[in-house]
Amino acid sequence: MPHPTHGSLDDDAATISAALPPGERVAILGSTSFWSVAGEPIYRLLGEELARRESVVLLSGGMTGVAECTSASFLVTRNRLRLASNLFHIVPLDTSSACVGPVIEAGGSLAERRELLARVASRYIVVEGGPGTAHETEIALARGARVIPVGISGGVAAKLHATCADAYARQHPAWNVLNDKRATVARVVRAAMTLCFDDSPGSQPGTDPET
């Protein structure tokens, strides 16, 4: 895919957006290591369920951990279903990805890459996460994107679940399931999918750039 020129972050994000296929752009954000016992099964099932939705375009920062696990599960399922892969990893210039799938090199540093990833999707699912994830979600929320934090996984996701200003999500009946330690993995993932894609009247999912 074409590499964005090193202009403003908004210009580079627009270049990335224009190069992506149309669809529901979902970015997966989270830790580079597995910290939560609940985490890994959630990543894998989340990748499978996202893959079953044909219109999804999955984006990640190409890192180990959450992105690597979720994207691998996503790609295996897309291949099994004979669907277009629709999987892209945004990484800093001259940097390789830890994940399988096409790479878009953009941004001169990890901080700039985070800024760009936070600008090119309308939906962000957060599992675990540290300071980098907090940076991405802050930008995504500021531009009106929908952020779905899987609170049960801990880290930034837990903090976001407690403080997230997304009124749509907090009022949705599926919201509390994301932080319910008694809920099964399947139920948590189902809640995340519902919050991600339920565009019923009154919801405001944000708009995919350039689609």
Side-chain angles (χ1 to χ4, degrees), residues 17 30 40 60 65 71 94 96 99 119 136 139-140 187:
S17 293
E40 190 170 358
S60 90
S71 60
D94 301 318
S96 60
C99 308
R119 284 169 161 81
E136 290 163 330
I139 297 164
R187 188 169 176 233

Side-chain angles (χ1 to χ4, degrees), residues 2-73:
H3 296 179
T5 57
H6 193 64
S8 74
L9 290 169
D10 286 337
D11 287 345
D12 284 356
T15 299
I16 295 169
S17 293
L20 292 171
E24 298 171 304
R25 294 181 189 165
V26 180
I28 184 76
L29 307 178
S31 302
T32 57
S33 300
F34 300 132
W35 298 104
S36 167
V37 174
E40 190 170 358
I42 291 174
Y43 316 145
R44 295 193 184 282
L45 185 56
L46 188 57
E48 291 177 16
E49 292 303 314
L50 287 167
R52 293 178 189 281
R53 192 172 175 100
E54 186 172 0
S55 58
V56 164
V57 178
L58 185 63
L59 306 172
S60 90
M63 305 290 280
T64 57
V66 171
E68 183 180 20
C69 184
T70 306
S71 60
S73 176

Side-chain angles (χ1 to χ4, degrees), residues 13-206:
T15 299
I16 295 169
S17 293
L20 292 171
E24 298 171 304
R25 294 181 189 165
V26 180
I28 184 76
L29 307 178
S31 302
T32 57
S33 300
F34 300 132
W35 298 104
S36 167
V37 174
E40 190 170 358
I42 291 174
Y43 316 145
R44 295 193 184 282
L45 185 56
L46 188 57
E48 291 177 16
E49 292 303 314
L50 287 167
R52 293 178 189 281
R53 192 172 175 100
E54 186 172 0
S55 58
V56 164
V57 178
L58 185 63
L59 306 172
S60 90
M63 305 290 280
T64 57
V66 171
E68 183 180 20
C69 184
T70 306
S71 60
S73 176
F74 180 90
L75 190 59
V76 166
T77 304
R78 296 290 280 205
N79 288 340
R80 188 175 69 247
L81 297 175
R82 298 183 179 180
L83 297 175
S85 63
N86 280 6
L87 172 64
F88 302 91
H89 308 292
I90 301 174
V91 302
L93 295 169
D94 301 318
T95 303
S96 60
S97 170
C99 308
V100 294
V103 166
I104 300 172
E105 293 185 16
S109 65
L110 278 175
E112 287 189 358
R113 190 274 293 157
R114 288 194 292 267
E115 292 266 358
L116 292 168
L117 181 57
R119 284 169 161 81
V120 294
S122 61
R123 298 158 172 88
Y124 292 80
I125 300 177
V126 185
V127 188
E128 300 185 14
T133 302
H135 181 200
E136 290 163 330
T137 55
E138 180 180 358
I139 297 164
L141 284 168
R143 48 174 285 267
R146 182 178 294 176
V147 173
I148 300 98
V150 182
I152 193 176
S153 65
V156 167
K159 294 178 182 177
L160 280 170
H161 190 272
T163 62
C164 187
D166 187 336
Y168 156 76
R170 292 181 66 84
Q171 293 170 9
H172 199 289
W175 179 259
N176 288 335
V177 177
L178 297 179
N179 202 39
D180 185 350
K181 293 180 172 57
R182 299 167 300 176
T184 64
V185 167
R187 188 169 176 233
V188 170
V189 170
R190 191 161 57 246
M193 292 290 291
T194 298
L195 287 161
C196 196
F197 299 110
D198 183 0
D199 293 341
S200 56
S203 66
Q204 297 180 358

